[in-house]
Amino acid sequence: MQADPVRPYADKLIRILALTMIISSMSATMFNIVLPEMSRDFRLSFAEVSWVSSIYMLIYAIGSVIYGKLADTYKLKNLLTFGLLLFFAGSMVGLGAQAYWVVLLGRILQAMGAAVIPATAMIIPVRYFPPESRGRALGITATGLAIGSAIGPIVSALLVSAFHWRWLFCIPLLILFTVPLYRKYLGDEQRQGGTIDWLGGGLLAGTVALLLLAVTQGGWLYAAGSLVLFVLFMIRIRTAKAPFVQPRLFCNAGYSVGLTLGVLAVSVGYALPFLTPQLLSDVHQLLPGWIGFAMVPGAVVAAFLGRTGGRLADTKGTSFLFYAASALLLSGFILLSSFAGVSPFWIALFLIFGNVGQMFTQISLSKTISLSLPKEQTGVGMGLFSLLNFLSGAISTGIYGKAVELDASSAWNPLSLNPGASTYSNIYVVLAAVQLGILLLFFVQFGRRGRLLPELQATGSKG
């Protein structure tokens, strides 16, 4: 089905979708702030309880592509109804959990249902918006995702300051109110046939799951198993009639580089909502409620500047916005590395640079990658983009969890003022170096000698 520019409910759908993305992404981050408390309650290591976040991101990632393929056969409104009801069921299970495995079960069910949301976030802009305004729609959904990731710890802090952390499972229940709206505004079109390469999807899921185990639990056996499954997955997608991932997508150099940039950017940006609460708890001994308050300024400023970022992408270009985002992120990481042990007040201010930079990066890359694809490959290309982004978030969570458990005797940054925060200072230095590499890669592909995407020029972007 082609995008229909005259549908009067397209703008309503994108607003509902943005709200859904906020609530959904909050579910991915709001448990980060209570991981130390969960670790004490269940007498588990920090790396072990980090599965509360990791397992959600893992299933969320795989499920987003599966729902996208299902949308080629079934009505999108029915898939959304099923997914959001399953999300509701998982929240109810987690709310009544008294054991750690029940908490994980609730998160698994939540993720299995919520995975329909990122798939929808890619399908609605393609089906309901013409190419010249599709970038704006994708930018709105990216803004919703960024806002939810930023305010998740805040809502979490406010709730756990008065109630037990299990009540965090109540927040996603709000998403149920969007079901009637989707059923009202989404069309009744029946999609055409299509098959799902379940074997290929299973091989990809196994590859990522074993990789995540290798990162969080250690051991070469997991890593070797992940490598074997990855090789089998690559063979599968080259031999299957309808592979889980189309290899021809990677013949597009702009898309391939953009995909790499997106994966790296998400991995780096995820340190802000995941790692900073651990810094404030471990080094500054703040209670969860105060940790949330320390993260409020960055979240508020990022939310306020979200529309500004979208306008800059349209008027100044995606390259301009990406360079600005990189400058903000580099400043934030350098400041956090140098002053990790100073007053939480200053850390709250440093987070403003990081949160705004993360928001601008997501908007810029989302638009750049979506417009790098030809029309017939937009859906599957953006679906893979979402998949790898969520997987990189899950894997980076495990890496950061392991890195926090390592005891660093000295900070790599000579400007670091507090030896007690050397572990965090070192991590932020590494993140600054990775962000610099991301910036250089973007410049080589999209900024060098005016090498811009034809699709961007065709839509009037100056990026």
Side-chain angles (χ1 to χ4, degrees):
M1 174 179 174
Q2 303 298 323
D4 186 352
V6 300
R7 292 192 175 187
Y9 41 80
D11 285 338
K12 294 180 180 179
L13 272 174
I14 208 66
R15 293 191 188 100
I16 299 168
L17 181 58
L19 174 62
T20 307
M21 292 292 288
I22 291 174
I23 300 174
S24 174
S25 58
M26 282 172 58
S27 299
T29 60
M30 65 184 180
F31 279 87
N32 295 338
I33 201 172
V34 297
L35 290 182
E37 187 176 346
M38 292 179 64
S39 178
R40 291 189 294 268
D41 286 353
F42 295 113
R43 298 181 181 179
L44 299 172
S45 69
F46 181 79
E48 289 173 322
V49 297
S50 69
W51 272 97
V52 169
S53 293
S54 299
I55 197 68
Y56 185 95
M57 297 295 289
L58 174 62
I59 297 175
Y60 199 54
I62 298 296
S64 65
V65 176
I66 293 176
Y67 277 114
K69 288 186 173 290
L70 287 173
D72 290 332
T73 304
Y74 302 100
K75 295 179 182 179
L76 183 57
K77 63 164 59 177
N78 292 340
L79 288 176
L80 265 169
T81 301
F82 171 80
L84 297 183
L85 288 176
L86 187 58
F87 195 18
F88 174 86
S91 301
M92 295 302 295
V93 170
L95 184 61
Q98 297 297 321
Y100 181 61
W101 73 268
V102 182
V103 174
L104 282 182
L105 176 61
R107 292 292 279 168
I108 290 171
L109 292 174
Q110 277 189 326
M112 289 173 63
V116 72
I117 299 169
T120 304
M122 298 303 167
I123 292 171
I124 287 180
V126 172
R127 292 186 185 176
Y128 290 83
F129 287 84
E132 59 269 19
S133 61
R134 193 173 298 160
R136 176 180 68 87
L138 288 167
I140 292 173
T141 60
T143 302
L145 176 64
I147 292 174
S149 299
I151 68 175
I154 302 171
V155 176
S156 174
L158 293 174
L159 192 60
V160 300
S161 64
F163 305 99
H164 193 272
W165 56 261
R166 288 185 186 86
W167 288 95
L168 293 177
F169 282 99
C170 282
I171 300 299
L173 300 181
L174 298 173
I175 210 169
L176 198 62
F177 293 101
T178 64
V179 173
L181 298 175
Y182 281 121
R183 296 197 65 83
K184 177 180 179 181
Y185 294 117
L186 282 173
D188 289 316
E189 65 274 5
Q190 185 77 25
R191 305 304 296 171
Q192 296 295 323
T195 60
I196 297 177
D197 179 18
W198 294 106
L199 177 57
L203 290 172
L204 180 59
T207 298
V208 177
L210 289 178
L211 178 60
L212 189 56
L213 281 172
V215 171
T216 58
Q217 306 298 323
W220 289 104
L221 186 60
Y222 291 130
S226 177
L227 180 59
V228 170
L229 291 182
F230 177 72
V231 172
L232 293 175
F233 171 73
M234 295 300 296
I235 295 174
R236 176 65 182 178
I237 65 174
R238 291 181 180 276
T239 57
K241 283 187 176 181
F244 193 77
V245 175
Q246 293 288 346
R248 68 175 181 270
L249 281 176
F250 303 104
C251 295
N252 183 334
Y255 174 73
S256 297
V257 175
L259 203 64
T260 302
L261 287 168
V263 168
L264 293 174
V266 169
S267 298
V268 170
Y270 202 74
L272 296 172
F274 182 84
L275 188 62
T276 306
Q278 315 315 319
L279 165 67
L280 295 171
S281 175
D282 185 24
V283 175
H284 300 279
Q285 304 299 313
L286 291 187
L287 296 174
W290 288 108
I291 292 174
F293 287 125
M295 300 183 74
V296 165
V300 170
V301 175
F304 181 76
L305 294 179
R307 288 183 175 272
T308 300
R311 286 196 296 269
L312 287 174
D314 290 333
T315 58
K316 296 292 185 178
T318 53
S319 293
F320 175 88
L321 184 63
F322 188 84
Y323 297 146
S326 296
L328 289 169
L329 281 169
L330 282 170
S331 299
F333 286 135
I334 292 173
L335 288 170
L336 285 169
S337 176
S338 300
F339 305 102
V342 301
S343 168
F345 171 81
W346 291 105
I347 292 180
L349 293 182
F350 302 155
L351 281 176
I352 294 177
F353 292 93
N355 284 354
V356 175
Q358 183 184 15
M359 165 82 75
F360 285 1
T361 298
Q362 290 183 354
I363 295 173
S364 174
L365 287 179
S366 178
K367 182 175 181 180
T368 298
I369 293 173
S370 68
L371 294 176
S372 73
L373 292 165
K375 188 175 183 179
E376 65 274 12
Q377 293 182 339
T378 301
V380 65
M382 292 304 294
L384 183 59
F385 175 54
S386 295
L387 167 69
L388 293 183
N389 276 356
F390 289 122
L391 290 181
S392 65
I395 293 173
S396 64
T397 297
I399 294 174
Y400 296 143
K402 276 293 185 181
V404 167
E405 293 183 348
L406 298 177
D407 185 17
S409 58
S410 60
W412 299 340
N413 185 354
L415 300 178
S416 180
L417 302 179
N418 189 337
S422 56
T423 296
Y424 296 93
S425 179
N426 291 343
I427 296 174
Y428 286 126
V429 164
V430 172
L431 292 173
V434 174
Q435 181 60 42
L436 183 60
I438 294 172
L439 175 60
L440 292 176
L441 181 58
F442 184 93
F443 173 75
V444 169
Q445 179 61 37
F446 300 119
R448 187 181 178 185
R449 298 189 301 274
R451 288 181 61 190
L452 302 179
L453 302 170
E455 291 83 357
L456 291 177
Q457 295 173 340
T459 55
S461 172
K462 300 175 183 178

